[in-house]
């Protein structure tokens, strides 16, 4: 398979199948190197593997455990987190103050991110939120100063207290029609945030949700609940602007399951 080459092959020994495979050189001069640094359990049906390069793999199914102060891995060693398909919830404080963490890969199976899950990850720069994510709990990304942007999916309902507080590089946020609750200080001190677009009816917005933010907030003329008492500053300085257009939740067209065969004839209205 590898031809006449000499190479070092890195593998993780606790992953299935490698113990037998590494005895085969496949016709080449291969040196097999186990890069497993540490491993263990992090949920009823979930486990973790940390390799020597600082990549932490979360595998299995269901929810991760909640923690009082970060997970069981070496905080300083973690540079990248890869959560594999099957995990449904990131546990409370799972990666709390993993200050060297730069990249997180989340699968579409994740529907909730627990409280303070990534709090204090000051060097986190790359993370894409799953389309099916429904809940971002309190302080989930508090103090993640290098996250450049966030994009929410159409299943999100809750943005918790302090969820993105101190995420100073975020400049624009679009709130999906599905969101019903935005917590206190959710976007506190997001100092570069200049545009907030609401794509649905007015959610429940707590009093200090946008504390320290100066931005223009857009809402649809066709949406409900955007009365004067709702269009306030929420601890910051928000300038409210109405836009034309139907809220996303009302833009659904259902076609009848009927086939119309092409006859080649021009059809004219009666």
């Amino acid at each position: 398979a590898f031809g006449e080459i000499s190479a070092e092959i890195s593998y993780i020994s606790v992953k299935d199948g490698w113990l037998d495979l590494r005895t085969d050189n496949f016709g080449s001069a291969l040196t097999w190197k186990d890069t497993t640094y540490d491993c263990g359990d992090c949920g009823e049906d979930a486990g973790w593997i940390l390799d020597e390069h600082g990549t932490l793999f979360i595998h299995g199914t269901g929810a991760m455990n909640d923690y009082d102060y970060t997970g069981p891995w070496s905080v300083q060693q973690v540079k990248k987190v890869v959560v594999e398909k099957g995990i449904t919830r990131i546990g409370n404080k799972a990666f709390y103050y993993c200050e060297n963490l730069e990249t997180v890969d989340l699968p579409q199976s994740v529907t909730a991110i627990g409280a303070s899950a990534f709090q204090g990850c000051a060097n986190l720069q790359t993370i894409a939120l799953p389309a099916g994510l429904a809940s971002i709990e309190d302080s989930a990304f508090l103090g993640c100063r290098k996250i450049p942007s966030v994009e929410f999916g159409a299943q999100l309902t809750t943005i918790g207290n302090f969820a993105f507080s101190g995420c100073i590089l975020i400049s624009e946020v679009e709130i999906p029609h599905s969101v019903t609750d935005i917590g206190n200080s959710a976007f506190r001190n997001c100092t570069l945030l200049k545009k907030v677009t609401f794509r649905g009816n007015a959610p429940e917005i707590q009093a200090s949700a946008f504390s320290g933010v100066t931005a223009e907030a857009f809402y649809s003329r066709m949406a409900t609940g955007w009365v004067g008492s709702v269009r306030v500053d929420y601890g910051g300085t928000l300038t409210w602007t109405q836009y034309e257009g139907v809220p996303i939740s009302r833009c659904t067209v259902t076609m009848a399951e009927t086939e119309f065969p092409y006859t080649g004839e021009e059809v004219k209205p009666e």
Side-chain angles (χ1 to χ4, degrees):
F2 291 95
E4 296 181 1
I5 65 171
S6 298
E8 182 178 89
I9 307 296
S10 298
Y11 71 100
I12 299 174
S13 62
V14 294
K15 289 280 191 176
D16 292 340
W18 285 111
L19 292 180
D20 295 330
L21 192 62
R22 66 189 175 90
T23 62
D24 195 337
N25 281 335
F26 300 99
S28 305
L30 301 181
T31 302
W32 294 87
K33 182 180 180 181
D34 182 2
T35 60
T36 306
Y37 179 82
D38 203 357
C39 61
D41 296 327
C42 60
E44 185 174 348
D45 296 302
W48 62 275
I49 302 166
L50 178 63
D51 73 14
E52 66 176 18
H53 304 296
T55 300
L56 177 65
F57 298 89
I58 307 296
H59 61 91
T61 58
M64 293 177 62
N65 290 334
D66 292 329
Y67 298 98
D68 293 328
Y69 186 86
T70 203
W73 34 81
S74 173
V75 171
Q76 297 303 317
Q77 293 285 337
V78 178
K79 298 177 181 178
K80 180 178 181 178
V81 171
V82 178
V83 181
E84 298 181 2
K85 182 179 179 181
I87 300 298
T88 58
R89 183 178 182 275
I90 307 301
N92 295 350
K93 292 190 175 181
F95 307 105
Y96 186 73
Y97 278 88
C98 286
E99 294 181 328
N100 294 319
L101 177 60
E102 297 180 354
T103 303
V104 174
D105 292 342
L106 296 178
Q108 294 302 313
S109 56
V110 170
T111 59
I113 296 177
S116 299
F118 295 98
Q119 180 178 339
C121 295
N123 286 298
L124 178 58
Q125 301 176 45
T126 305
I127 184 170
L129 301 180
L133 186 65
S135 177
I136 301 172
E137 299 177 22
D138 294 352
S139 304
F141 294 97
L142 172 63
C144 293
R145 299 170 58 87
K146 292 187 178 181
I147 292 180
S149 61
V150 289
E151 184 174 344
F152 303 129
Q155 304 300 315
L156 185 66
T157 61
T158 303
I159 302 173
N161 300 326
F162 294 93
F164 293 94
S165 178
C167 294
I168 59 175
L169 295 185
I170 296 175
S171 61
E172 183 175 342
V173 170
E174 186 168 303
I175 308 296
H177 69 88
S178 53
V179 171
T180 57
D181 295 283
I182 300 177
N184 274 315
S185 299
F187 296 96
R188 179 185 178 89
N189 290 338
C190 292
T191 51
L192 291 184
L193 181 57
K194 298 302 178 186
K195 182 180 180 181
V196 181
T197 303
F198 292 89
R199 291 298 185 186
N201 299 331
E204 185 73 25
I205 308 174
Q206 299 304 315
S208 64
F210 293 93
S211 178
V213 172
T214 299
E216 191 167 8
F218 296 86
Y219 66 100
S220 171
R221 183 179 65 83
M222 301 294 289
T224 62
W226 291 109
V227 296
S229 59
V230 172
R231 302 193 310 272
V232 295
D233 285 336
Y234 297 103
T237 303
L238 300 184
T239 302
W240 291 89
T241 301
Q242 187 181 80
Y243 65 87
E244 296 294 329
V246 181
I248 299 299
S249 61
R250 296 172 59 184
C251 290
T252 301
V253 177
T254 303
M255 300 294 289
E257 296 182 0
T258 304
E259 293 186 2
F260 298 94
Y262 177 67
T263 63
E265 299 178 357
E266 184 179 0
V267 179
K268 297 181 179 180
E270 297 180 357

